[in-house]
Amino acid sequence: MAWDRNQMAARAAQELQDGWYVNLGIGIPTLVSNYIPKGIEVTLQSENGMLGMGPFPIEGEEDADLINAGKQTITELPQTSFFDSSQSFAMIRGGKIAMAILGAMEVAENGDLANWMIPGKLVKGMGGAMDLVAGVGRVVVVMDHTSKHGESKVLKECTLPLTGKAVVDRIITNLGVLDVVEGGLKIVELAEGVSDAEMRAATEATIVG
Amino acid sequence: MKKVYGSAAEALDGVLFDGMLIAAGGFGLCGIPELLIDAIKEAGTKNITVASNNAGVDGFGLGVLLATRQVKKMISSYVGENAEFMRQYLSGELELEFNPQGTLAERMRAGGAGIPGFYTKTGVGTVIAEGKEHKDFDGQTYILERGIVADLSIVKAWKADPSGNLVFRKTARNFNPPAATCGKICVAEVEEIVPLGSLDADGIHLPGIYVHRLIQGKHEKRIENRTTRAA
């Protein structure tokens, strides 16, 4: 057994601290907002120009002028503020956002992150990911531990073009939680039913300790 | 001084030329200058370089100018939702300069503010940094990025007054203010032009000094990714 998408999101939500301003990426990271622990108040930033992102609207209340970075319709909250893209990235680059939770294609043991293109196959662009990983206080990656073909995505070195160099602090996968430390990755936690041996076998990167 | 024009075509008269650089506001399909884009299509301007976060979708927004092959090069951060864009790029018909989203926004802001370049950590150690000046400040490495000054800015706002003061609505503000400031000429399209004095002077998002021409029109405001929750 291992964690499913929702369990990974719930585990990632445990990373949140009261009072933090946080940016959630597209995919599993978006689900994190469903699991914010009781008593913890976090403000979600959407890099297209919004702080205080609310839930998806109910049908009939969609507003074309109110979307998130994944271009999905969303809603505002009483504390919401809007601003332009240069202001949005000024707060990201300026270190005001405490944490970003992002998806990844590959992560390396030194914290290198690749999540924006596969040469010759998939060319979508980095969007705001390069700015986020360079600017925020803490970078947490949430992704499947292995590819559909069973190959490890937690590597000694990334093979894809990088989004950022030595930027990842913590990796949350379907198998558990790893921290980027001196010399490699450290196992912080194993998903329910996953053994230490299974985690090591699925990880190409050096595991220390 | 008359800034209000009767149509997008009139507002663009005399400012378009082949090979020009246009900065466009919008994020995805949100807050895009859809009327001005259509007018540029009708004008037939060629070999355009467009600095815009996205490239629209097939048949709407900047996707319209890709379909007619009027665009030579895009400067963008994300082009994922446009099949024609991908086809032209992969076949080598269209040039593409990827910019990280915040770097693109700041390049526009800087260009409009008279700042020719700035240092940023974004992209250090990636392909984005290749060929760019690197400099260390306080033990951290940064790269030099250049400000953008466009021949023309096209932006979309919610309301304007006849002096060109603009107010945006919710997340449709996005790239519009930085794009507006970086153009030698800025043309804005709005949903409503209101009388002088009816906008709160403390609530102006972009002062009219940046806006040279103005039109009012009906906007489709298409939703790219309609997502709802159970009631």
Side-chain angles (χ1 to χ4, degrees):
Chain A
M1 273 303 287
W3 286 329
D4 64 19
R5 287 164 58 88
N6 284 302
Q7 288 169 314
M8 287 159 70
R11 178 57 189 82
Q14 300 299 316
E15 302 293 316
L16 301 169
Q17 292 187 22
D18 191 42
W20 273 10
Y21 291 84
V22 175
N23 184 293
L24 304 178
I26 295 165
I28 301 173
T30 304
L31 300 174
V32 172
S33 63
N34 297 332
Y35 299 97
I36 296 170
K38 280 206 168 56
I40 301 267
E41 199 174 293
V42 297
T43 304
L44 300 179
Q45 198 238 21
S46 192
E47 67 265 27
N48 53 316
M50 176 180 196
L51 276 169
M53 186 166 51
F56 298 128
I58 57 172
E59 205 177 322
E61 296 195 351
E62 307 93 324
D63 184 337
D65 290 338
L66 186 48
I67 64 168
N68 65 17
K71 285 100 178 178
Q72 294 172 301
T73 42
I74 47 161
T75 55
E76 56 186 83
L77 301 170
Q79 69 269 34
T80 295
S81 58
F82 297 111
F83 34 85
D84 71 51
S85 298
S86 63
Q87 171 85 288
S88 179
F89 283 92
M91 66 182 72
I92 290 169
R93 214 184 291 105
K96 317 298 178 189
I97 304 291
M99 185 167 76
I101 303 179
L102 302 169
M105 297 171 182
E106 294 177 347
V107 182
E109 63 190 41
N110 67 343
D112 286 0
L113 168 68
N115 73 353
W116 74 281
M117 78 174 292
I118 303 172
K121 272 192 189 165
L122 177 81
V123 192
K124 291 196 161 208
M126 70 290 286
M130 283 191 181
D131 310 273
L132 281 161
V133 298
V136 302
R138 184 169 168 79
V139 174
V140 174
V141 158
V142 183
M143 66 172 189
D144 283 328
H145 208 94
T146 54
S147 71
K148 281 177 199 146
H149 311 294
E151 291 156 349
S152 185
K153 293 164 68 172
V154 184
L155 305 171
K156 290 189 189 307
E157 275 183 50
C158 290
T159 65
L160 298 170
L162 296 184
T163 306
K165 191 137 191 68
V167 292
V168 176
D169 296 294
R170 175 165 279 193
I171 308 163
I172 298 172
T173 76
N174 51 322
L175 300 186
V177 182
L178 298 153
D179 270 353
V180 178
V181 297
E182 190 73 33
L185 302 178
K186 181 168 169 256
I187 300 173
V188 175
E189 194 177 324
L190 295 165
E192 209 177 299
V194 173
S195 71
D196 188 77
E198 283 171 294
M199 170 65 99
R200 285 168 191 267
T203 307
E204 192 219 76
T206 309
I207 292 179
V208 296
Chain B
M1 179 196 65
K2 175 183 161 293
K3 292 190 177 180
V4 179
Y5 286 69
S7 70
E10 285 171 41
L12 290 171
D13 187 41
V15 303
L16 299 174
F17 60 92
D18 291 350
M20 72 190 304
L21 170 60
I22 298 177
F27 181 93
L29 300 181
C30 182
I32 59 170
E34 50 183 272
L35 306 174
L36 292 163
I37 290 169
D38 284 343
I40 293 170
K41 179 197 167 192
E42 292 307 315
T45 316
K46 292 190 174 51
N47 291 319
I48 305 169
T49 296
V50 183
S52 167
N53 188 56
N54 310 91
V57 295
D58 291 316
F60 191 64
L62 288 168
V64 166
L65 300 182
L66 293 170
T68 54
R69 313 287 298 277
Q70 287 169 265
V71 179
K72 179 186 72 173
K73 179 180 173 182
M74 290 294 307
I75 303 172
S76 303
S77 86
Y78 191 83
V79 297
E81 327 299 341
N82 192 316
E84 175 62 13
F85 186 107
M86 202 63 80
R87 189 198 67 71
Q88 287 185 21
Y89 172 66
L90 291 173
S91 69
E93 295 163 48
L94 180 72
E95 290 173 56
L96 171 59
E97 177 186 326
F98 270 128
N99 277 195
Q101 193 173 136
T103 294
L104 179 59
E106 188 64 11
R107 289 185 69 195
M108 292 179 179
R109 195 200 70 81
I115 297 169
F118 58 93
Y119 291 98
T120 177
K121 262 194 293 185
T122 302
V124 170
T126 76
V127 294
I128 294 305
E130 287 173 10
K132 289 174 183 161
E133 184 198 326
H134 287 59
K135 189 164 178 169
D136 286 5
F137 293 90
D138 304 324
Q140 300 251 30
T141 303
Y142 296 75
I143 54 173
L144 178 66
E145 294 281 3
R146 297 292 311 270
I148 292 176
V149 177
D151 297 305
L152 171 70
S153 298
I154 53 172
V155 301
K156 192 261 170 186
W158 181 36
K159 289 181 179 179
D161 68 21
S163 77
N165 290 324
L166 300 184
V167 175
F168 301 89
R169 187 171 173 272
K170 304 184 188 286
T171 58
R173 192 180 322 184
N174 58 59
F175 273 80
N176 284 296
T181 63
C182 82
K184 292 174 193 161
I185 294 176
C186 172
V187 182
E189 60 179 66
V190 303
E191 294 175 44
E192 189 184 2
I193 297 175
V194 299
L196 271 182
S198 56
L199 294 176
D200 176 3
D202 272 329
I204 303 293
H205 297 145
L206 189 75
I209 189 170
Y210 296 108
V211 179
H212 304 95
R213 299 182 181 191
L214 196 57
I215 58 159
Q216 173 182 304
K218 179 115 187 79
H219 290 82
E220 177 182 337
K221 300 216 287 184
R222 193 183 292 184
I223 293 177
E224 190 164 342
N225 193 348
R226 190 179 296 273
T227 308
T228 56
R229 69 178 196 273

